Amino acid sequence: MQSLDSLKQKLFLNRKKLSLKTLFLIISGVMVLLLLFFWKIQILNYTFYLATSRRNILKKEVLFAPRGFIKDRKGNILAENLISFDLIVPRDTILKRKEDRAIEEVRWLLGLSEEKVRQSLTKKNFGTYFLVAEDIPFPRANYFFANRKAFTSIELKVKPKRLYPYKTTGSNPLGYIGAVTEEDIRKASPERPLAPEEFIGKAGLEKYYDDLLQGRNGKRVVLVDSVGIVQRVLEVDPPTQGASLNLSLDIELQSEIEALLTENQQTGSVVVMNPKNGEVLSLVSTTLFDPNLFASYFTPQQWESLIGDPSKPLINKAISGLYSPGSIFKLVIALGGLENGVTDDERTVFCSGSKEIYNTTFRCWNPAGHGTVNLYTAIEQSCNIYFYTLGKSMEIDLIEKSAKALGLGSKTGIDLAGEKSGLVPSREWKRKAYNLDWFAGETISVAIGQGPLLVTPVQIAQMISILANRGAAPPIHLLKYSEKEGKTYYPDLTPRSVPFHRENIDKVVEGMWLVVNGPLGTARAAQIPGRDICGKTGTVQVVGRETLQQKVKDKSAQRWTTHAWFTGFAPKQDPEVVVVVMLEHSGSGGGNAAPVAKKIFELYFSRYHAKTP
């Protein structure tokens, strides 16, 4: 019995040992598998899991560089930056099916309806996040950050936003910024790549000097917890603000001139500049807009409304408006005729009110005629017959040569995006454009600034500056200097000379003085005693005389009314200001543009010469 009990005990012990051994082997196997698993994670796949871990706890953020400030000549800030808060929903929130939670948080923060929030989720997709709302009010942003742990599915993104304190005033020269496109990103310099959510210059100075204004973006690396709250900042590369622009523009003078045109319900443009150095003091186009609208994302409806506006608010008429110069072009004919020996200041022409040229009757604007006129009185009274005769003698190619020497038919190079070249016709131009020969009769219309001849107001300002300077042409510009990181940069202002002799320019200038101050001058309405203003008027037909007479009975006759020009400078000797006024469909240059020019001269002198002469 004892041996049997002993045997049973031995068997029991053996079974127990076997069970323990099996258990040990199982545990050992599991441990080996765990060790292999940990080895795979920590050694074999170390790089992958480390990167994944870091993505969960480390967050990289772009720190957008504020654009440089833009200031006028007196230091008034025309464009600056504000801190803006954008509400975003990270893409992970959508992927993890937390969209409903995000919607509730947005509603909670902003008080929007669920429908509006769902619509806003598709507003803008930047890949890693969806933009839901822009420019969150500061009290709401403050509430968000004070209760950060309650918001687990949405975030506020901080970025600088462009602000134009003067709103519509000066909007055309300033231009505007806009969201980058895929093409912008593709064309960006490798040294300054663009992020999808950035805004860059799209028009005016903002576009022309975009490389200066942009600055350099920075970055920040932060450690976040499981709900995305920043625990620690690990790395910061601060952004560098863009260069500031200090302009020649006088925003107060700009505002006064804009108000002057608006009050009189006149459309067109005005250029006021210093002929000595090319500084633009005012560049007005009545197509005004608020550039602040462009500092946020447009809805398709807003954009269509803007570009569909019949007033074409985004067109800067001073640099892009193309018009026939009318009688202002007579200055080109006079100077070209003198310079090339086709005429002199003693030659006279008799004006009876009309003249037969090439079997066609050409009329003077004065049906009664001007009688016998010379160069001076022809400019003073803007006699068509005199300039028909002179233009016929010069012929079209010499007219083209003279006009282009004065800067017409090509861009002035003003530091604004969107400038147009205009057109000065010639025989070669007509052959290329229409495969036709130039007819001699076409020269007669061009001689008084009509026909296929197109200029911009800023080109006329350049031309008059050349006459005011008696031959020198400094570059027309708005930038006086720019500043960045303690360094100052100046534009190249080397003037170019033009192929005209001083004595010939003086003769034309004498005629311009008579236009304003002579007994029969067409711009006596621009006269200011003691200011010695020199000028020239222009009245541009939009349609022929017969057509205009028919249109007068039409209710829309205003659109067929002539354009009115005045251009001039003051004082006659040592000139300091050039004024160009171009009024669309406003009547005659002498009757409508000259009085406006007088007020602009008065505004200038009251600001820069407080004492009466």
Side-chain angles (χ1 to χ4, degrees):
M1 276 304 282
Q2 189 172 359
S3 61
L4 183 61
D5 290 339
S6 175
L7 182 62
K8 287 181 179 180
Q9 187 175 6
K10 188 181 254 189
L11 288 172
F12 173 75
L13 290 173
N14 287 338
R15 284 198 298 269
K16 192 172 184 181
K17 286 180 181 179
L18 181 61
S19 298
L20 289 172
K21 189 175 182 180
T22 302
L23 180 62
F24 174 77
L25 290 173
I26 291 172
I27 292 173
S28 298
V30 170
M31 292 298 293
V32 169
L33 289 174
L34 285 172
L35 288 172
L36 288 172
F37 180 71
F38 289 134
W39 176 81
K40 182 177 183 292
I41 291 175
Q42 297 186 22
I43 298 176
L44 188 62
N45 294 335
Y46 165 79
T47 305
F48 170 78
Y49 286 107
L50 179 63
T52 302
S53 175
R54 285 182 173 176
R55 279 199 298 271
N56 290 332
I57 64 171
L58 299 182
K59 185 177 179 182
K60 293 181 181 179
E61 300 174 343
V62 176
L63 301 177
F64 293 106
R67 290 178 73 81
F69 281 31
I70 302 178
K71 305 175 185 178
D72 83 340
R73 67 186 301 110
K74 296 184 178 179
N76 295 306
I77 296 176
L78 309 183
E80 57 182 324
N81 308 292
L82 294 177
I83 295 297
S84 174
F85 300 96
D86 290 351
L87 195 157
I88 67 171
V89 174
R91 186 175 181 82
D92 287 348
T93 297
I94 308 300
L95 294 176
K96 293 176 181 178
R97 299 182 179 180
K98 294 182 179 180
E99 183 176 340
D100 290 340
R101 172 65 183 173
I103 291 171
E104 284 302 313
E105 291 180 7
V106 174
R107 293 183 62 195
W108 184 12
L109 183 65
L110 301 182
L112 301 177
S113 67
E114 181 176 347
E115 181 183 0
K116 195 158 188 177
V117 174
R118 288 191 182 277
Q119 289 174 351
S120 66
L121 278 177
T122 60
K123 183 175 182 181
K124 198 74 177 175
N125 180 0
F126 288 112
T128 59
Y129 68 85
F130 295 87
L131 175 65
V132 176
E134 297 178 87
D135 304 327
I136 305 304
F138 182 76
R140 292 288 86 196
N142 190 43
Y143 178 81
F144 174 89
F145 291 117
N147 299 274
R148 182 65 182 88
K149 290 187 177 181
F151 297 98
T152 60
S153 301
I154 64 174
E155 295 180 12
L156 285 191
K157 195 174 185 68
V158 182
K159 69 177 184 181
K161 181 182 178 182
R162 204 60 159 164
L163 174 68
Y164 302 89
Y166 288 87
K167 298 182 179 179
T168 60
T169 301
S171 57
N172 274 283
L174 285 174
Y176 55 87
I177 62 173
V180 298
T181 63
E182 291 183 4
E183 185 178 0
D184 293 329
I185 295 173
R186 189 170 59 254
K187 290 183 177 180
S189 166
E191 290 76 27
R192 177 54 170 93
L194 294 173
E197 55 266 60
E198 281 196 77
F199 283 67
I200 61 173
K202 294 289 186 177
L205 288 160
E206 289 277 25
K207 180 176 182 179
Y208 193 91
Y209 289 112
D210 191 51
D211 288 343
L212 281 174
L213 290 164
Q214 270 185 16
R216 182 188 63 83
N217 288 338
K219 68 176 181 179
R220 186 173 80 146
V221 181
V222 296
L223 180 69
V224 297
D225 63 14
S226 59
V227 294
I229 298 175
V230 176
Q231 300 299 306
R232 191 164 72 248
V233 177
L234 302 178
E235 179 185 344
V236 177
D237 177 16
T240 303
Q241 183 165 1
S244 64
L245 304 184
N246 295 269
L247 308 181
S248 60
L249 199 70
D250 183 334
I251 197 63
E252 293 174 355
L253 179 64
Q254 177 89 7
S255 178
E256 291 171 333
I257 296 173
E258 287 180 6
L260 175 64
L261 297 186
T262 302
E263 288 167 6
N264 292 285
Q265 297 182 329
Q266 291 165 318
T267 62
S269 59
V270 170
V271 182
V272 181
M273 62 173 287
N274 184 334
K276 293 178 182 177
N277 55 22
E279 289 183 357
V280 176
L281 301 174
S282 178
L283 192 82
V284 173
S285 175
T286 54
T287 51
L288 300 175
F289 58 91
D290 186 351
N292 290 297
L293 296 174
F294 295 84
S296 299
Y297 291 101
F298 268 109
T299 65
Q301 294 77 16
Q302 287 174 319
W303 179 247
E304 288 172 8
S305 174
L306 192 62
I307 62 174
D309 189 330
S311 68
K312 305 297 182 185
L314 302 184
I315 295 178
N316 186 342
K317 295 182 178 183
I319 63 170
S320 299
L322 295 175
Y323 311 93
S324 294
S327 292
I328 290 175
F329 196 70
K330 293 172 181 175
L331 301 176
V332 176
I333 302 298
L335 185 56
L338 290 169
E339 191 66 32
N340 291 282
V342 180
T343 192
D344 56 49
D345 57 337
E346 295 181 357
R347 179 186 179 187
T348 61
V349 172
F350 181 76
C351 171
S352 64
S354 64
K355 184 172 183 178
E356 195 83 12
I357 306 175
Y358 301 127
N359 299 318
T360 302
T361 300
F362 291 89
R363 293 182 173 82
C364 188
W365 68 266
N366 182 357
H370 294 103
T372 300
V373 292
N374 60 18
L375 179 81
Y376 306 111
T377 52
I379 295 175
E380 175 191 8
Q381 300 173 56
S382 198
C383 177
N384 288 354
I385 303 303
Y386 181 93
F387 288 99
Y388 288 148
T389 305
L390 181 52
K392 177 176 181 291
S393 300
M394 289 177 67
E395 299 187 352
I396 191 60
D397 288 339
L398 185 54
I399 291 174
E400 180 211 23
K401 176 184 174 183
S402 303
K404 289 193 170 180
L406 288 168
L408 304 183
S410 59
K411 296 179 181 180
T412 65
I414 189 171
D415 45 353
L416 287 174
E419 183 182 13
K420 290 189 177 179
S421 299
L423 172 65
V424 176
S426 65
R427 286 185 173 86
E428 182 182 2
W429 163 80
K430 191 174 180 183
R431 278 196 299 269
K432 287 183 177 179
Y434 299 103
N435 196 28
L436 295 172
D437 291 330
W438 182 266
F439 296 108
E442 295 175 284
T443 304
I444 308 306
S445 294
V446 173
I448 62 164
Q450 299 279 172
L453 177 64
L454 297 171
V455 300
T456 63
V458 75
Q459 285 177 351
I460 296 298
Q462 176 181 249
M463 181 185 84
I464 298 304
S465 293
I466 293 170
L467 299 180
N469 291 328
R470 308 312 196 263
I476 298 180
H477 63 283
L478 285 142
L479 178 67
K480 286 174 69 70
Y481 60 93
S482 65
E483 296 173 299
K484 186 174 183 180
E485 298 177 342
K487 296 181 180 179
T488 304
Y489 304 88
Y490 296 91
D492 182 8
L493 301 179
T494 306
R496 66 178 178 88
S497 58
V498 293
F500 297 105
H501 290 88
R502 169 72 183 254
E503 57 269 26
N504 290 327
I505 296 176
D506 280 337
K507 292 173 183 178
V508 173
V509 168
E510 184 63 30
M512 293 177 68
W513 185 87
L514 289 170
V515 169
V516 179
N517 303 282
L520 299 174
T522 59
R524 287 181 60 80
Q527 187 179 125
I528 301 175
R531 292 303 183 191
D532 229 11
I533 296 171
C534 301
K536 184 71 188 78
T537 58
T539 304
V540 181
Q541 291 182 354
V542 179
V543 294
R545 291 174 184 269
E546 294 78 10
T547 304
L548 181 59
Q549 289 174 357
Q550 294 173 2
K551 296 291 183 182
V552 167
K553 299 177 182 179
D554 190 345
K555 293 181 180 179
S556 61
Q558 175 64 27
R559 62 179 292 210
W560 307 107
T561 306
T562 53
H563 295 328
W565 283 94
F566 173 90
T567 183
F569 63 88
K572 181 181 180 183
Q573 302 301 328
D574 195 24
E576 61 181 82
V577 61
V578 164
V579 172
V580 176
V581 177
M582 196 285 153
L583 304 178
E584 297 175 336
H585 309 295
S586 293
S588 69
N592 299 83
V596 172
K598 176 181 179 178
K599 292 178 181 178
I600 293 171
F601 276 115
E602 289 173 337
L603 288 172
Y604 170 83
F605 285 117
S606 68
R607 293 183 63 78
Y608 294 93
H609 296 271
K611 295 181 180 180
T612 56

